[in-house]
Amino acid sequence: MKKIVVMIGLMMTASLAWAQSDAINKFFNKYQADETFTQATISSKMFNLFTDMEVENKGDQEVLNAISKLKGLRVLAKEETRNARELYKEALAIVPAKEYEELMYVRDKDKDMKFFIRETSPGKINELIMVMGGNSEFMILSLFGEIDLKQISKIGSKMDISGLDELQKMDKKTEKGKSNEQE
């Protein structure tokens, strides 16, 4: 009987993990065959290969530890397009508000970026979504696995993933807020 309960629990957990990004998957699937989009996917195996690298400093080791907990990264981007703002609005409309919490909004010159997270429990982030739209460029990024927000901006800079470096702004604001509270 215990085995059956455990199996049902595992199946429900797996189905929840699949359902969580169903809307995001549909968006990626809709445009993946369109050759005007650039698409990149990094699997957990690729992230595991990064963790086999030898590092010399503690900061790089922390980044590798964070990378080892990631399960995948998907990016869909389109440059030099007239419909970047429409794609941005379409992508924002598919992010389920009940499942994802808006983490941060950034406006940088002619670009708007929104970051969303999905938590399995308080403090345990299992997906980060970034949607970026500008006058002529669009990008949606989905990073999933066990995510440490403090390390994500470092991972983004190490792997040269534009947009994730914007999370450093959030860390700086948090640090300023803490120092102001202490005064």
Side-chain angles (χ1 to χ4, degrees):
M1 183 67 169
K2 288 182 183 179
K3 289 182 183 179
I4 293 172
V5 171
V6 170
M7 289 289 284
I8 291 171
L10 288 173
M11 288 174 29
M12 288 176 61
T13 303
S15 67
L16 286 174
W18 176 256
Q20 58 92 18
S21 60
D22 190 44
I24 308 301
N25 283 333
K26 285 180 182 178
F27 188 85
F28 274 91
N29 291 339
K30 179 178 178 179
Y31 293 106
Q32 72 183 4
D34 187 334
E35 293 180 5
T36 63
F37 282 87
T38 300
Q39 182 175 348
T41 303
I42 299 175
S43 69
S44 61
K45 182 67 174 175
M46 184 66 168
F47 286 122
N48 287 335
L49 291 174
F50 281 118
T51 61
D52 292 337
M53 296 174 15
E54 290 186 28
V55 295
E56 294 181 15
N57 66 48
K58 186 179 175 183
D60 287 344
Q61 187 60 51
E62 288 175 2
V63 170
L64 287 180
N65 291 342
I67 287 174
S68 71
K69 297 175 184 176
L70 298 177
K71 300 294 181 210
L73 169 73
R74 293 172 59 180
V75 179
L76 188 64
K78 190 170 187 178
E79 296 178 344
E80 299 178 20
T81 181
R82 294 181 198 178
N83 68 337
R85 293 284 177 188
E86 291 84 21
L87 289 166
Y88 176 74
K89 289 176 185 175
E90 180 184 352
L92 288 178
I94 59 107
V95 176
K98 290 182 180 180
E99 297 173 22
Y100 294 87
E101 178 181 347
E102 185 174 325
L103 181 66
M104 184 171 72
Y105 170 75
V106 177
R107 172 169 277 164
D108 184 25
K109 297 180 186 172
D110 69 340
K111 290 186 268 191
D112 293 317
M113 287 182 251
K114 284 196 176 192
F115 293 85
F116 301 89
I117 58 170
R118 183 176 170 285
E119 294 179 300
T120 52
S121 61
K124 299 229 181 213
I125 299 168
N126 70 338
E127 188 172 14
L128 170 80
I129 296 173
M130 182 195 74
V131 181
M132 187 272 298
N135 292 336
S136 63
E137 60 184 326
F138 164 79
M139 180 170 61
I140 184 169
L141 174 147
S142 173
L143 180 65
F144 44 98
E146 189 178 322
I147 300 171
D148 178 356
L149 283 180
K150 294 176 185 171
Q151 297 298 328
I152 294 301
S153 61
K154 292 178 187 175
I155 292 170
S157 66
K158 293 276 185 206
M159 297 178 69
D160 195 25
I161 301 170
S162 75
L164 290 182
D165 55 339
E166 295 293 330
L167 289 171
Q168 287 179 342
K169 293 177 183 177
M170 184 183 71
D171 285 343
K172 290 176 184 174
K173 288 178 185 175
T174 304
E175 288 172 12
K176 285 180 184 176
K178 287 180 182 177
S179 66
N180 287 343
E181 288 174 8
Q182 292 173 352
E183 292 175 359

